[in-house]
Amino acid sequence: MRHLTPCLAALLLLTSSAAFGQRRKVIFDQDCAGPGGTDLQSLLVMIQSPDVSVLGITVVTGDQWRDEEIAHTLRLLEIIGRTDIPVVPGAVFPLVNTREATEVWEQRYGQLAYIGAWDKRWWHEASVVPPLAEGQPHTKPSDEDAAHFLVRMVRKYPHQITIYAGGPMTNLVLAISLDPQFPELAQGLVFMGGSISPQSDDPEFANNPRHEFNMWFDPEAASVVLRAPWKKIVCTTVDISIKTRLSQQAMNRIAASDTDLARYLSRFYRANYMWDELAAAAWIDPSLITKRETRYMNVDLDRGAGYGNTLIWTENDKPKITVQPVEIQVDLDIEKFYEMFVRLMSARTPAAH
Amino acid sequence: MRSRHILIDTDTASDDAVALIMALRNKEVTVAAITVVAGNVGVDQATRNALYTTELCGSDVPVFRGADKPLSRSLEIADWFHGSDGLGDHGYMPTRREAERDHAVSAILKIIATRPGIEIITLGSLTNLALALREKPSLVADVSRCVVMGGAPCCEGNVTPAAEFNIWVDPEAARIVFHSGLPIEMIGWQLSRGSAVFDTLDIAKLKRFGSPLADFTISANRVAIEANKIQTGQIGIALPDPVAMGILLRPGLCLESGDHYVDIETASELTRGMTVVDRLNVAHDPRNCIVWSETLKREARIKICWKLDVERWKALVMEALR
């Protein structure tokens, strides 16, 4: 930038997409556990970006139950003054998988490290919303359900909307069932999910490398969605996600900014991998990713020890059944990613547009 | 007085069509909608068949096209039983009616919400209903009865030794519906066998009616008669969907029933879609309670009809076709 004349720099700013109102459209389909945390922080990456228009947030059970997640999402939007973004209730339960079936599975094959909303450490019924540490929301979710919303929006803006999936894919499989053209009417699918060969000492990943929560929670949904005719599929796996970490130093830099958002984030900070933040940020700025590979992907649906595991192939060895190419992110410019995250979280929230 | 509202979900082929006629001509019920699912034939053909049948009855009931394939498996149809068009390939005239624009799943959600207490009957695979339940699990509270034509309780199946076609086509969907808490009355395939088969005497009687609906029933079931003969050795028309419809319309036609735990096999290829019935109440047994825990925890017993009043049921079918 320092080699450019001020005049040219100004011109570049003017021609940037946001200046012409051509924000990239996204529907944020996710399990929105809160307060804080990777689900809501990735939502914030999208909302805080001046180049992005979040058309709606379709909420699905995953890390927490849907209704609890909706409450956290609504409250966050109130805090940042963006209650114009619709929060749309999605599926309460996965398509086929159940907590009871998981209990039976665990008796046979051993305990899973993480089962989200079904974990007995914080168990409550699906309809219960425990009191929120960040305060109760006053706003309400949409009356429409997620599947109908997704279909309606891609038909309103054909080939313009990216579907960002940061959780189990139940809402997306329901949308495909309602309207088989849904995938091809979207601009593409970006998702965090799957695990191939993560390099880690953490036994959660080392002992069960092909197991990943989002795919496992609703394997049947993931299998249908991954084989659907999307124009493009981009995937952030466990392998690349666990190279990232939200550090206390980064959070201190965010906290130095005098906004309600920064106070919210630092109050609910937990050290964690930046699973979903990376998927969202790399969609906004693909140059964060320094290495990518194309693979074909599906999910193990056999009701045995490998239920929900990630299956991948190359062009040469892929099976005869329909599988789609997936662009898998392999490596990233980690400092650039951290800088982008701190910058977006420290910024003033763009106004409703 | 038409005080009872019903919703029919169907993969309309030969015996579905007879069941639709029974409902549409019955004065005690209002058919709120017909929702169509892939099964016996593809969903577009099944929708045409449903529209054609409503037209034959002079009915303008809305017909909604639904799921074109099972939840996670590929569709396998039963044209070998019903003919390639599902209606015996007798070359019926193209229908003038058209399906509604809404998807069947949207229609099911809306209709249940606006008509609490509605009775549902499913004559095909359970994909549409399972999708509706996944979108809105609470719809269960607004359904007063859910009559399911499907399953082969404690007996042989008609598509594999273990399974009846409707459940076998989409076992994952069946599992969702059976676990949902809906007040299910399961009408197994076996009730339409034996003396319930419309034999040569019954068919001769239908022919003497000379009515368009009786003639349609015979020609629409032409292929089914042959297939039934090969499969069971019995000569005549087996009418599983009309048995279910009869029991929906007149619950007294079910002479014996029991409430049982039922689960659906989704893992095995050998027994895919088997309706496993805990007839002797052994699911609680320590040896079984782990495998059955999902069903036991939901305490959702399924009402299974074990015996049909064949004579009165046949009279009811005849009355609708006269």
Side-chain angles (χ1 to χ4, degrees):
Chain A
M1 206 52 147
R2 72 195 151 92
H3 297 297
L4 297 175
T5 64
C7 182
L8 187 56
L11 191 69
L12 278 175
L13 266 176
L14 268 176
T15 51
S16 83
S17 54
F20 279 83
Q22 294 293 312
R23 295 163 178 269
R24 294 167 71 197
K25 294 181 178 63
V26 68
I27 296 177
F28 192 85
D29 184 72
Q30 175 127 337
D31 50 343
C32 298
T38 188
D39 296 333
L40 293 179
Q41 280 159 195
S42 58
L43 172 62
L44 287 164
V45 167
M46 293 286 193
I47 295 176
Q48 292 289 102
S49 167
D51 302 324
V52 175
S53 177
V54 179
L55 301 181
I57 305 161
T58 50
V59 184
V60 65
T61 290
D63 287 331
Q64 292 171 345
W65 287 114
R66 181 199 69 180
D67 289 349
E68 186 177 4
E69 294 171 344
I70 287 174
H72 286 298
T73 309
L74 289 170
R75 183 66 194 130
L76 174 62
L77 295 180
E78 290 172 7
I79 289 168
I80 63 172
R82 286 304 304 274
T83 54
D84 57 298
I85 302 173
V87 177
V88 190
V92 181
F93 302 109
L95 199 56
V96 176
N97 199 9
T98 61
R99 183 173 190 242
E100 292 78 5
T102 302
E103 284 175 3
V104 174
W105 188 97
E106 287 187 324
Q107 293 187 46
R108 285 196 190 125
Y109 304 115
Q111 202 184 329
L112 291 163
Y114 178 73
I115 58 171
W118 296 340
D119 198 308
K120 57 177 176 288
R121 286 170 290 182
W122 46 79
W123 166 254
H124 57 75
E125 293 293 336
S127 56
V128 172
V129 179
L132 273 59
E134 69 273 39
Q136 300 304 119
H138 313 292
T139 45
K140 296 265 179 280
S142 303
D143 290 331
E144 194 175 18
D145 67 82
H148 283 86
F149 175 83
L150 285 159
V151 167
R152 186 167 64 79
M153 293 313 272
V154 297
R155 291 213 166 259
K156 186 174 177 188
Y157 301 109
H159 313 293
Q160 295 171 53
I161 302 176
T162 296
I163 306 299
Y164 168 91
M169 294 183 175
T170 323
N171 291 341
L172 302 185
V173 75
L174 291 172
I176 293 171
S177 299
L178 286 178
D179 184 351
Q181 278 188 298
F182 167 68
E184 56 200 278
L185 286 171
Q187 197 174 68
L189 171 72
V190 170
F191 77 100
M192 191 281 131
S195 179
I196 300 166
S197 181
Q199 303 302 304
S200 169
D201 297 332
D202 188 335
E204 176 178 356
F205 312 112
N207 295 343
N208 208 354
R210 288 299 177 98
H211 174 93
E212 183 279 326
F213 173 76
N214 288 342
M215 276 202 182
W216 163 81
F217 197 75
D218 196 339
E220 283 78 10
S223 177
V224 172
V225 171
L226 287 174
R227 290 179 294 128
W230 302 94
K231 287 206 278 284
K232 187 177 184 188
I233 307 177
V234 176
C235 168
T236 305
T237 62
V238 166
D239 308 45
I240 188 168
S241 291
I242 60 171
K243 295 180 182 179
T244 66
R245 200 87 187 171
L246 182 54
S247 67
Q248 184 66 60
Q249 293 88 319
M251 191 47 76
N252 290 345
R253 287 175 59 202
I254 295 167
S257 150
D258 179 33
T259 63
D260 289 337
L261 171 58
R263 279 184 285 275
Y264 169 90
L265 288 172
S266 61
R267 179 175 168 203
F268 297 110
Y269 166 76
R270 298 187 299 277
N272 195 359
Y273 304 109
M274 299 173 76
W275 308 102
D276 301 328
E277 295 93 330
L278 176 59
W283 176 67
I284 294 169
D285 182 0
S287 75
L288 296 182
I289 302 302
T290 54
K291 189 180 172 200
R292 335 174 131 76
E293 283 170 353
T294 298
R295 292 286 182 272
Y296 294 79
M297 201 181 253
N298 202 348
V299 188
D300 188 345
L301 297 184
D302 285 354
R303 286 262 171 185
Y307 181 59
N309 277 3
T310 307
L311 302 175
I312 61 157
W313 302 270
T314 60
E315 178 72 38
N316 298 331
D317 57 14
K318 71 185 164 75
K320 300 259 183 295
I321 58 160
T322 323
V323 280
Q324 304 291 348
V326 176
E327 180 185 302
I328 294 173
Q329 300 164 344
V330 179
D331 218 340
L332 77 160
D333 183 337
I334 200 154
E335 288 310 320
K336 192 171 176 183
F337 168 55
Y338 290 151
E339 282 308 310
M340 176 176 171
F341 183 75
V342 169
R343 178 168 50 79
L344 287 173
M345 294 306 114
S346 308
R348 298 264 157 206
T349 302
H353 43 81
Chain B
M1 261 308 279
R2 290 175 187 249
S3 53
R4 294 166 57 195
H5 289 245
I6 68 171
L7 185 149
I8 309 173
D9 190 74
T10 161
D11 55 340
T12 312
S14 45
D15 66 321
D16 299 68
V18 179
L20 293 183
I21 294 169
M22 290 168 73
L24 293 169
R25 299 201 77 200
N26 189 292
K27 301 220 171 356
E28 291 154 28
V29 299
T30 304
V31 181
I34 295 172
T35 55
V36 186
V37 66
N40 285 326
V41 289
V43 70
D44 288 327
Q45 184 65 50
T47 306
R48 279 195 290 279
N49 295 349
L51 288 165
Y52 178 75
T53 310
T54 61
E55 209 170 72
L56 270 184
C57 297
S59 161
D60 57 1
V61 60
V63 174
F64 298 87
R65 183 186 180 279
D68 61 353
K69 57 176 181 302
L71 290 183
S72 67
R73 298 178 192 253
S74 52
L75 175 64
E76 298 189 53
I77 59 174
D79 50 353
W80 54 273
F81 194 91
H82 299 280
S84 61
D85 69 355
L87 292 178
D89 295 323
H90 72 287
Y92 67 88
M93 296 291 289
T95 172
R96 284 181 298 275
R97 294 198 61 208
E98 281 184 17
E100 307 295 314
R101 287 190 53 195
D102 262 3
H103 191 281
V105 175
S106 319
I108 290 171
L109 292 171
K110 268 186 214 159
I111 288 163
I112 293 174
T114 52
R115 304 189 196 208
I118 194 164
E119 297 168 51
I120 296 179
I121 179 165
T122 67
L123 306 176
S125 75
L126 293 159
T127 320
N128 282 342
L129 198 50
L131 286 165
L133 283 162
R134 276 300 176 259
E135 292 209 21
K136 192 181 175 194
S138 64
L139 69 83
V140 166
D142 290 324
V143 176
S144 65
R145 291 173 77 196
C146 179
V147 176
V148 172
M149 192 285 119
C154 307
C155 63
E156 65 274 27
N158 61 0
V159 60
T160 73
E164 178 278 333
F165 182 78
N166 287 345
I167 307 295
W168 177 84
V169 167
D170 195 348
E172 283 80 12
R175 200 155 204 260
I176 289 170
V177 173
F178 274 65
H179 284 179
S180 67
L182 277 170
I184 293 174
E185 298 168 36
M186 175 174 150
I187 312 301
W189 169 69
Q190 83 288 358
L191 294 175
S192 65
R193 298 181 64 184
S195 60
V197 168
F198 267 53
D199 59 17
T200 38
L201 287 175
D202 297 315
I203 295 171
K205 199 169 161 190
L206 280 179
K207 276 186 181 148
R208 282 199 300 278
F209 287 174
S211 69
L213 292 174
D215 291 345
F216 166 73
T217 300
I218 294 166
S219 23
N221 282 280
R222 199 178 50 83
V223 179
I225 290 174
E226 289 306 312
N228 191 51
K229 190 173 144 193
I230 295 165
Q231 191 175 57
T232 67
Q234 274 193 287
I235 296 171
I237 310 175
L239 295 168
D241 291 342
V243 170
M245 188 58 81
I247 291 169
L248 175 89
L249 296 171
R250 302 246 178 99
L253 290 178
C254 173
L255 295 176
E256 272 175 35
S257 68
D259 294 333
H260 307 278
Y261 290 120
V262 178
D263 209 342
I264 313 291
E265 177 61 81
T266 55
S268 155
E269 279 308 306
L270 185 66
T271 55
R272 160 184 172 181
M274 184 174 182
T275 45
V276 185
V277 178
D278 179 27
R279 198 169 185 177
L280 298 180
N281 248 321
V282 296
H284 287 284
D285 185 286
R287 284 166 304 177
N288 301 325
C289 65
I290 291 177
V291 173
W292 280 84
S293 58
E294 194 169 353
T295 312
L296 292 173
K297 207 172 270 179
R298 286 167 202 271
E299 288 179 9
R301 282 197 166 87
I302 304 297
K303 189 189 200 80
I304 296 179
C305 178
W306 296 111
K307 193 175 174 194
L308 174 72
D309 185 337
V310 170
E311 206 175 312
R312 287 175 56 222
W313 169 74
K314 277 191 178 173
L316 183 68
V317 178
M318 293 280 186
E319 192 184 304
L321 300 175
R322 196 182 279 274

